[in-house]
Amino acid sequence: MDLLIGLAGNSSIFAVTVNSNNGILRILYAMGREGMLPRRLAAISPRLGTPAFAVYAQSGFAVVVTVVMGFWGGPFNTYAYLGAVLTFGIIPVYWSTNVACMRLFRKQRPEQFKPLRHVVLPVLAIGLIVIPVYGSVWPLPAAPYNWFPYAVLGYISSPQLPRYSAGGVRSC
């Protein structure tokens, strides 16, 4: 039974990795195109019409992470750890998207602005996602789950640290 659970866990990790691949590839491609990452990530394969190097780079990274973590923590823990960390990582994106929706339609497209669609629903969505976030941090979960939100918060805020100096915040 342990073998079947292990195989199910690893196949689930693989499925999530494949499912996430498209979004990650779009980000790598766009950042490569804009020069924020190596431009090679934006190179389009003439045969396939896809950013082939970005596909190989992301796929290789995903395989290495899942295999190493699978050996380190076992398949179930790897799935649970990555699921928790990635969920905490996507929540700020979800919140930011809702805030961006409100701002976009209020400031840049006022003729299309509808209060229900562009204020009430985004605020409701942000509020509703607070419920599982709260449930994930209180009561305090067992280690290592108790430090995952702080690890993600540190990761998200670390690029902002160079903006701060003894004189305050510098504009980028």
Side-chain angles (χ1 to χ4, degrees):
M1 188 65 156
D2 286 345
L3 176 62
L4 290 176
I5 291 172
L7 289 172
N10 280 332
S11 68
S12 294
I13 292 168
F14 182 74
V16 168
T17 301
V18 169
N19 188 32
S20 302
N21 198 29
N22 189 39
I24 294 167
L25 290 174
R26 288 173 181 259
I27 292 168
L28 290 175
Y29 170 76
M31 291 180 77
R33 184 187 62 214
E34 299 301 320
M36 298 171 72
L37 288 174
R39 292 204 185 271
R40 186 169 183 195
L41 292 168
I44 301 296
S45 166
R47 186 172 67 89
L48 301 172
T50 60
F53 184 75
V55 170
Y56 299 139
Q58 191 279 331
S59 298
F61 178 77
V63 167
V64 168
V65 167
T66 54
V67 168
V68 168
M69 285 194 68
F71 281 116
W72 170 71
F76 178 78
N77 287 337
T78 297
Y79 184 74
Y81 295 162
L82 290 175
V85 169
L86 296 174
T87 298
F88 281 119
I90 200 66
I91 287 172
V93 174
Y94 183 75
W95 283 339
S96 298
T97 302
N98 281 287
V99 170
C101 172
M102 292 186 285
R103 184 176 174 139
L104 173 75
F105 285 97
R106 187 75 177 145
K107 301 283 185 186
Q108 295 180 5
R109 297 183 185 171
E111 71 282 355
Q112 296 174 346
F113 179 77
K114 294 184 176 17
L116 175 66
R117 184 180 292 171
H118 302 120
V119 176
V120 175
L121 292 178
V123 168
L124 184 63
I126 291 169
L128 287 174
I129 202 72
V130 168
I131 297 167
V133 169
Y134 179 79
S136 297
V137 296
W138 188 261
L140 193 63
Y145 296 98
N146 61 340
W147 59 265
F148 287 166
Y150 305 106
V152 170
L153 184 62
Y155 177 78
I156 291 170
S157 56
S158 63
Q160 302 305 318
L161 294 177
R163 295 183 63 204
Y164 292 89
S165 68
V169 179
R170 296 187 308 244
S171 63
C172 293

